[in-house]
Amino acid sequence: MAREYSEQEQVRRDARANMEEAGVNPYAYSWNVTHHSDEILESFDDARHQATEEGPAPEELRVSIAGRIMSRRIMGKAAFFHLQDESGRIQVYVSRDDLPEGFYNSVFKKMLDIGDVVGIEGFVFRTRVGEISVHAQQLEVLSKALRPFPIEKEQDGHVYNAMTDKEFRYRQRYVDLVVHPEVRDTFRQRARMISTMRSFLDERGYVEVETPVLQPIYGGAAARPFTTHHNALDMKLYMRIADELYLKRLIVGGFDGVYEISKDFRNEGLSRFHNPEFTMMELYVAYKDYDWMMGLVEEMVESIALALHGTTELIVGDKTISFKRPWKRLPLFDAIEERTGEQLFGKDQAELAAIAKKLGLEIDDTMGVGKLIDEIFGEFVEPHLIQPTYITDYPIELSPLAKRHRSKNGLVERFEAIVNGKELCNAFSELNDPDDQRARFEDQERLGNKGDDEAMQMDEDYLRALEYGMPPTAGLGIGIDRLAMLMTNSESIRDVILFPLLRPESEHESDEHGEGSTTEDSDESRKA
RNA sequence: GAUCCCGUAGCUCAGCUGGCAGAGCAUCUGACUUUUAAUCAGAGGGUCCCAGGUUCGAGCCCUGGCGGGAUCACCA
């Protein structure tokens, strides 16, 4: 069923039909691009490339470019428009007499619109007003745009008619990317961030591996999983919530250092810090401990900041954050004492509950020692940690996969890096005593039976691996999206994920999907 | 999940105390061979998110729903 077209869409469809009738293919096969707009703007040299009243340019700068028409100023027999390619925009000058007979009046003026993709061949010059432009001698239609773009206009840095609807931008990211060069920049920076991280790890000899996304037993973190099913084996499977237990099996297997940059999936709420599908980098290094890992993380993040921005001082929101090494290190209990005046080390559940209540927190009886400490930390300490800070030595109850602290009873060797009031990474000296690990899993099972749906599951195969002996190992998980937010000064995780999860589109937009999308479907999916 | 704010033309937004649905850009027609938010003259374009209610009359008031944003809470 064809949907109804808006006036502007109909105009564009008619133009496409006219093109075909005139023998112009609205969807060309290829175009030889020799230059990008930024290269032209950088390399143009008035002395060599600009014609003068005395004569032609000593050395013509000939270019072939391609991109979208983003604005048009038609003045009778000549016109200017801006062409946008990946690198930016450049103005193009078109005059009737430089194009094939009739092409300017029929095709250029009547059949092309803002948003169409065209190829231009010509020479570069500077206009009277001083803008470096391409004088077109050949113009080819490469792809006709049938939908109008929300066109932003700009003068003196002020943007008019800005496309601001967040939903529009996330749902139709392709349009957002066309209209907003800074969005393209954000994702280019994200890519550079990951490639910097990868080279950093590769240079140190760590092996990049791939472990299962579909897992019969999920583990490695406290979270609710997505559940799915394999038909042939008639088997329940979970989408991974972490890679941890598989990566540590590889340390057992004899790799000294392995890492994985992975999509993990957690069946939990959405917020500006949470997307159900997100990217994590996990790293495990044999014969090292958490103290060593702190050094590695700060070195890696510092080098990323330098690679992206050439500085360790980054502006994030209204704050300046310094990623310069070394970062502050602060034991969890000291951090809490600093902020609240309460020393929690060694306190039992009742004492902690009393302190939490005194501090004004809402608590209930099911909260254990670890949970209470975590609440107090999250409420009174974490939001105040703006500059990168390592919080170290967590209660054992919160960390079923971490090794007992070598000197502090009841704690584990674990750290989190907190930046701008949010957790950036989580790491520990890995627990490698299989019997201790079994006991910790059993504790988790008890929590699960009491209704904690984030409790970890017993993983017999993992225990078997540990029984073969895992060297002392340091492990790290770092939230790539969170790091990307910091590195690109983005206030929402949706601004660093190309296609963030959104609700399905409702029926008034169902024309997008043709027939299958009925009111009943939408109602069902909302209930789900 | 809770609270607050929002939903009007392709885009950005006005719309008074409830009284004929508006502007700029975009689109269409015409003029214009160095413009740049190009300019000038004219034209078309609306399920005012949806469903009820109050009213002589609803974009506006009331109820319910849907969608979005922000904040809070849980996980990274």
Side-chain angles (χ1 to χ4, degrees):
Chain A
M1 190 185 82
R3 68 191 172 81
E4 278 189 26
Y5 300 122
S6 69
E7 182 199 3
Q8 294 189 47
E9 286 177 293
Q10 195 55 56
V11 165
R12 285 160 182 260
R13 284 174 180 268
D14 291 347
R16 181 180 66 173
N18 293 338
M19 254 183 216
E20 283 167 334
E21 208 168 301
V24 174
N25 182 357
Y27 304 109
Y29 286 90
S30 66
W31 180 258
N32 180 37
V33 175
T34 63
H35 290 73
H36 287 109
S37 56
D38 61 342
E39 297 163 355
I40 297 173
L41 296 176
E42 278 161 26
S43 63
F44 183 80
D45 175 1
D46 289 276
R48 285 192 297 149
H49 301 134
Q50 180 73 330
T52 61
E53 281 161 24
E54 284 88 69
E59 189 186 336
E60 218 172 45
L61 178 57
R62 296 203 58 81
V63 296
S64 177
I65 56 178
R68 272 183 209 279
I69 299 174
M70 297 304 286
S71 66
R72 285 201 303 170
R73 293 175 289 284
I74 294 176
M75 306 156 304
K77 299 177 185 64
F80 287 94
F81 63 89
H82 274 101
L83 189 81
Q84 173 170 291
D85 61 17
E86 195 196 316
S87 72
R89 290 184 184 189
I90 189 162
Q91 182 171 258
V92 176
Y93 173 74
V94 186
S95 78
R96 186 191 63 185
D97 301 334
D98 293 328
L99 295 177
E101 182 75 33
F103 191 88
Y104 177 82
N105 278 320
S106 61
V107 178
F108 179 74
K109 275 169 77 172
K110 298 289 178 191
M111 301 176 199
L112 286 180
D113 294 286
I114 288 173
D116 290 352
V117 181
V118 296
I120 300 290
E121 206 186 307
F123 62 88
V124 187
F125 73 111
R126 189 185 287 275
T127 65
R128 272 178 212 162
V129 205
E131 180 161 353
I132 296 166
S133 309
V134 176
H135 187 126
Q137 292 169 307
Q138 197 192 336
L139 189 160
E140 192 166 319
V141 182
L142 301 180
S143 184
K144 179 73 194 162
L146 297 179
R147 288 179 185 252
F149 281 85
I151 291 305
E152 299 188 347
K153 295 206 171 190
E154 194 211 312
Q155 188 184 35
D156 303 329
H158 187 82
V159 177
Y160 299 81
N161 305 316
M163 170 199 183
T164 52
D165 186 329
K166 286 262 179 69
E167 187 188 5
F168 188 170
R169 297 180 60 177
Y170 295 141
R171 284 198 195 282
Q172 301 187 40
R173 180 69 89 183
Y174 33 90
V175 176
D176 189 28
L177 288 164
V178 167
V179 174
H180 297 123
E182 69 276 16
V183 176
R184 295 199 298 277
D185 274 341
T186 295
F187 288 100
R188 242 185 245 116
Q189 287 199 320
R190 180 182 168 123
R192 198 174 310 134
M193 180 187 101
I194 292 171
S195 66
T196 302
M197 184 180 283
R198 185 173 270 125
S199 339
F200 180 95
L201 297 169
D202 290 346
E203 278 163 18
R204 283 158 181 75
Y206 307 135
V207 179
E208 182 171 11
V209 297
E210 293 176 88
T211 64
V213 172
L214 295 174
Q215 306 180 346
I217 297 170
Y218 62 91
R224 281 182 293 244
F226 285 91
T227 307
T228 185
H229 183 262
H230 185 260
N231 290 341
L233 293 178
D234 189 19
M235 177 168 75
K236 187 177 184 179
L237 286 168
Y238 302 97
M239 313 274 282
R240 68 174 160 210
I241 58 172
D243 317 11
E244 174 152 356
L245 301 183
Y246 281 97
L247 291 173
K248 286 194 280 196
R249 284 172 170 97
L250 297 176
I251 299 296
V252 172
F255 287 104
D256 284 349
V258 290
Y259 74 95
E260 182 166 15
I261 296 170
S262 65
K263 276 287 182 70
D264 290 352
F265 306 86
R266 298 187 186 176
N267 207 339
E268 282 161 357
L270 294 82
S271 82
R272 95 193 156 88
F273 293 102
H274 301 94
N275 195 59
E277 170 180 348
F278 64 103
T279 306
M280 180 107 102
M281 194 283 285
E282 290 195 35
L283 168 70
Y284 294 84
V285 181
Y287 313 116
K288 305 294 186 190
D289 61 11
Y290 78 139
D291 195 59
W292 174 89
M293 186 63 90
M294 283 187 250
L296 184 96
V297 169
E298 60 193 15
E299 189 182 348
M300 182 170 71
V301 174
E302 186 191 69
S303 73
I304 288 170
L306 287 170
L308 265 54
H309 301 286
T311 172
T312 53
E313 315 297 304
L314 266 52
I315 291 172
V316 180
D318 55 1
K319 305 181 183 80
T320 301
I321 295 182
S322 172
F323 288 94
K324 191 170 174 53
R325 286 184 285 166
W327 299 353
K328 190 176 178 188
R329 301 183 185 192
L330 192 59
L332 177 68
F333 288 111
D334 294 357
I336 292 172
E337 186 176 19
E338 218 172 72
R339 281 278 161 191
T340 66
E342 302 284 348
Q343 180 50 255
L344 306 187
F345 184 67
K347 297 274 194 301
D348 65 21
Q349 183 181 0
E351 292 168 314
L352 289 170
I355 290 169
K357 202 173 281 177
K358 193 174 90 186
L359 291 170
L361 291 181
E362 280 187 30
I363 52 161
D364 60 68
D365 298 341
T366 66
M367 293 166 104
V369 170
K371 181 76 178 163
L372 286 164
I373 292 167
D374 201 36
E375 286 289 318
I376 293 168
F377 175 75
E379 182 67 26
F380 297 101
V381 185
E382 193 174 42
H384 302 286
L385 298 173
I386 303 304
Q387 300 303 322
T389 306
Y390 287 124
I391 297 296
T392 64
D393 304 338
Y394 283 67
I396 193 166
E397 296 85 353
L398 289 173
S399 318
L401 302 167
K403 199 168 189 165
R404 288 174 195 275
H405 198 282
R406 61 196 74 185
S407 59
K408 298 177 184 171
N409 201 21
L411 303 186
V412 292
E413 295 196 352
R414 170 180 171 185
F415 71 84
E416 292 190 359
I418 313 291
V419 184
N420 205 21
K422 277 279 164 186
E423 177 185 347
L424 176 65
C425 71
N426 182 18
F428 23 90
S429 300
E430 301 296 334
L431 174 56
N432 59 347
D433 174 341
D435 292 343
D436 191 0
Q437 184 66 74
R438 178 177 295 279
R440 307 273 195 99
F441 276 142
E442 284 165 356
D443 288 343
Q444 288 290 310
E445 281 189 318
R446 274 191 287 278
L447 287 175
N449 292 337
K450 277 202 291 187
D452 183 347
D453 49 9
E454 292 184 350
M456 290 183 195
Q457 298 176 309
M458 176 69 70
D459 188 334
E460 287 292 346
D461 178 70
Y462 177 65
L463 291 171
R464 179 167 63 188
L466 289 187
E467 285 167 6
Y468 282 103
M470 181 172 82
T473 298
L476 166 74
I478 181 163
I480 295 294
D481 311 284
R482 295 257 175 106
L483 185 59
M485 286 171 69
L486 291 168
M487 289 294 156
T488 62
N489 189 16
S490 299
E491 59 184 21
S492 170
I493 198 166
R494 289 178 166 180
D495 294 326
V496 297
I497 292 177
L498 280 165
F499 301 100
L501 185 70
L502 302 171
R503 274 171 204 275
E505 289 188 70
S506 56
E507 72 256 35
H508 63 268
E509 281 138 330
S510 63
D511 65 328
E512 311 285 320
H513 311 296
E515 265 180 75
S517 186
T518 63
T519 309
E520 291 79 18
D521 285 349
S522 313
D523 284 350
E524 285 306 310
S525 57
R526 265 178 222 121
K527 273 178 238 154

